[in-house]
Each structure stands twice: as structure tokens, then as C-alpha cells.
């Protein structure tokens, strides 16, 4: 299995982020909040977001890099055919990659179940 994060797996447009947050299902874990909306592509796409309450630009970017890396390493365990927007929870307690991976998978599955079994 290739552990890559290709262009096809990224949410890039603001409209995709907004659709996930407004129309999708939401679940909160220990370290992340996940918004999930179904897509017609058959591939899971990720958008990582952050708020200024998390800290300065360095802290926000580090949190997003950690979320993207957790996604990249755990793609096989995530629901397929969905768009996900993942936002670090406040307060961000600088968790390890392993903790973020576990929390991301568990939270994404809960959000996908809440979506209604479409995935």
C-alpha cells in the first residue's frame, strides 16, 4: 500500500470545505473535530483546518501537518467515499502522532456512521 497524500485526496476549494462543515455530519474526539460529507468520487479526501485560538501560525501549521500525516498513515482504516474536514480541538495539548492517528480513525468512523451509512 502506498502511503502518499496525492492531489486527488486533498480538499482544495473553499466550497468543498463549507459543504462538509454545513451539510455533513460532525463528531468530536479527544484531539480533533471531524466533519464528514459524502462525495461521488469513491476516494476519501481531507481538508485540514485550524483557528487562531489554537495559537500562532507556527502552532497552527504544526497541528495541521500532524493531522495530514495521521491521515496519510491511516487511510486504509478510514471510511471511503467521503470528504473530511479535520480541525484540531482547543486546547491542543501537543499529542503524539500515534494518539492523533487513533483519534482521527475513531472520530471519522463515528462521523461517517452519523452521516447515515452512506459510506
Amino acid at each position: 500500500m502506498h502511503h502518499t497524500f496525492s492531489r486527488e485526496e486533498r480538499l482544495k476549494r473553499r466550497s468543498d470545505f463549507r459543504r462538509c462543515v454545513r451539510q455533513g455530519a460532525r463528531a468530536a474526539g479527544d484531539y480533533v473535530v471531524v466533519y464528514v460529507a459524502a462525495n461521488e468520487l469513491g476516494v476519501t479526501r481531507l481538508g485540514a483546518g485550524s483557528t487562531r485560538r489554537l495559537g500562532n501560525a507556527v502552532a497552527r501549521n504544526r497541528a495541521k501537518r500532524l493531522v495530514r500525516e495521521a491521515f496519510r498513515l491511516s487511510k486504509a482504516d478510514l471510511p471511503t467515499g467521503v470528504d473530511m474536514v479535520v480541525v484540531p480541538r482547543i486546547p491542543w495539548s501537543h499529542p503524539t502522532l500515534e494518539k492523533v492517528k487513533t483519534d482521527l480513525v475513531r472520530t471519522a468512523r463515528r462521523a461517517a456512521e452519523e452521516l447515515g451509512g452512506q459510506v
Side-chain angles (χ1 to χ4, degrees), residues 17 47-51 54 60 64 85-88:
F17 277 82
S50 184
T51 66
L54 191 68
R60 293 192 306 268
K64 288 189 286 187
V85 172
V86 180
V87 180

Side-chain angles (χ1 to χ4, degrees), residues 35-56:
Y35 299 90
V36 174
N39 68 30
E40 306 299 322
L41 305 173
V43 66
T44 301
R45 298 191 303 172
L46 172 75
S50 184
T51 66
R52 286 193 179 169
R53 291 185 345 187
L54 191 68
N56 63 13

Side-chain angles (χ1 to χ4, degrees), residues 17-77:
F17 277 82
R18 292 179 79 159
R19 181 179 54 83
C20 268
V21 172
R22 290 185 176 173
Q23 298 173 0
R26 175 188 182 276
D30 295 333
Y31 302 106
V32 294
V33 177
V34 178
Y35 299 90
V36 174
N39 68 30
E40 306 299 322
L41 305 173
V43 66
T44 301
R45 298 191 303 172
L46 172 75
S50 184
T51 66
R52 286 193 179 169
R53 291 185 345 187
L54 191 68
N56 63 13
V58 173
R60 293 192 306 268
N61 288 328
R62 175 166 165 58
K64 288 189 286 187
R65 280 194 310 270
L66 198 58
V67 166
R68 283 192 291 266
E69 182 68 3
F71 172 82
R72 185 182 74 80
L73 294 174
S74 59
K75 281 190 290 193
D77 301 325

Side-chain angles (χ1 to χ4, degrees), residues 66-110:
L66 198 58
V67 166
R68 283 192 291 266
E69 182 68 3
F71 172 82
R72 185 182 74 80
L73 294 174
S74 59
K75 281 190 290 193
D77 301 325
L78 294 169
T80 57
V82 296
D83 290 341
M84 296 189 325
V85 172
V86 180
V87 180
R89 284 197 65 173
I90 309 295
W92 182 254
S93 57
H94 303 289
T96 63
L97 175 61
E98 202 56 45
K99 287 181 180 179
V100 174
K101 273 177 38 181
T102 304
D103 193 43
L104 176 64
V105 170
R106 183 177 58 237
T107 308
R109 285 181 180 170
R110 263 199 348 259

